[in-house]
């Protein structure tokens, strides 16, 4: 199976802007990119091995020290909100929630993210941080989205990514039908308002106003 690699923008910018030949600067940048996981001596070793090419040195370090990250696994469990092809009005905010499982034998380390990778861009957020997740554990991940203004079918693909830019596990999707008659996003908003209303009604100081009054 071919492993997809996507070094994040911060790494790419670091590589592109490092034109210095100062070895101490390169070592410090190497340690910064890898969050000081290696020692300065290791940084110097990998940079020398890569002829002081920062990108090659970082890649060599990750290939040798983090092969277990390649074995991380994720399985899609179910859609919690917004099932496949559900109808949403144009220009409506909604929350997409997936339930996923760590289906492997390794705990997902700190720094894993759920990333938008393909399809229609429905959210300002391009990634969601995911904390450590133990093997066999289910978690729910949510992304705030907005339906496009033009009716039609839209789909957005998301994938889990480890701290070093390697994707793993199932692809997960949000697929919506934007329709002027859609009610799903509105239903979510009303459910949220109802929840807030009932919580507030338990407060003796709450004044029962009509939430639809202008």
């Amino acid at each position: 199976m071919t492993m997809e690699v996507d070094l994040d923008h911060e790494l790419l910018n670091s590589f592109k802007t490092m034109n210095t030949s100062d070895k101490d600067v390169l070592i410090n940048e190497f340690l910064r990119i890898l969050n000081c996981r290696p020692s300065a001596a290791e940084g110097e070793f990998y940079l020398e091995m890569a002829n002081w090419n920062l990108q090659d040195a970082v890649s060599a370090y990750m290939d040798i020290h983090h092969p277990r990250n390649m074995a991380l696994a994720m399985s899609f469990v179910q859609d919690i909100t917004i099932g496949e092809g559900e109808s949403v009005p144009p220009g409506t905010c909604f929350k997409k929630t997936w339930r996923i499982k760590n289906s492997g034998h390794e705990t997902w380390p700190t720094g894993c993210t759920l990333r938008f990778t393909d399809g229609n861009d429905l959210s300002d957020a391009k990634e969601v941080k995911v904390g450590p997740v133990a093997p066999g554990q289910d978690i729910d991940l949510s992304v705030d989205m907005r339906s496009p203004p033009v009716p039609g079918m839209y789909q957005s693909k998301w994938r889990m990514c480890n701290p070093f830019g390697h994707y793993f596990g199932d692809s997960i999707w949000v697929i919506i039908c934007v329709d002027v008659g859609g009610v799903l996003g509105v239903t979510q908003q009303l459910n949220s308002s109802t929840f807030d209303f009932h919580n507030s009604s338990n407060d003796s100081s709450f004044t029962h106003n009509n939430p639809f009054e202008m």
Side-chain angles (χ1 to χ4, degrees), residues 104-134:
H105 300 290
E106 303 287 347
T107 296
W108 299 350
T110 299
C112 287
T113 55
L114 177 68
R115 292 187 181 182
F116 168 69
T117 60
D118 196 12
N120 301 113
D121 187 356
L122 303 177
S123 175
D124 291 335
K126 300 300 178 284
E127 66 178 29
V128 176
K129 293 182 180 179
V130 181
V133 178

Side-chain angles (χ1 to χ4, degrees), residues 59-98:
S59 296
Y61 179 88
M62 291 192 295
D63 287 343
I64 292 173
H65 288 273
H66 297 278
R68 61 186 289 174
N69 284 332
M70 307 286 278
L72 296 180
M74 181 276 277
S75 296
F76 169 76
V77 178
Q78 67 180 94
D79 293 305
I80 302 300
T81 65
I82 314 295
E84 183 174 329
E86 290 200 44
S87 181
V88 182
T92 300
C93 294
F94 63 93
K95 186 182 294 290
K96 171 63 185 181
T97 302
W98 301 271

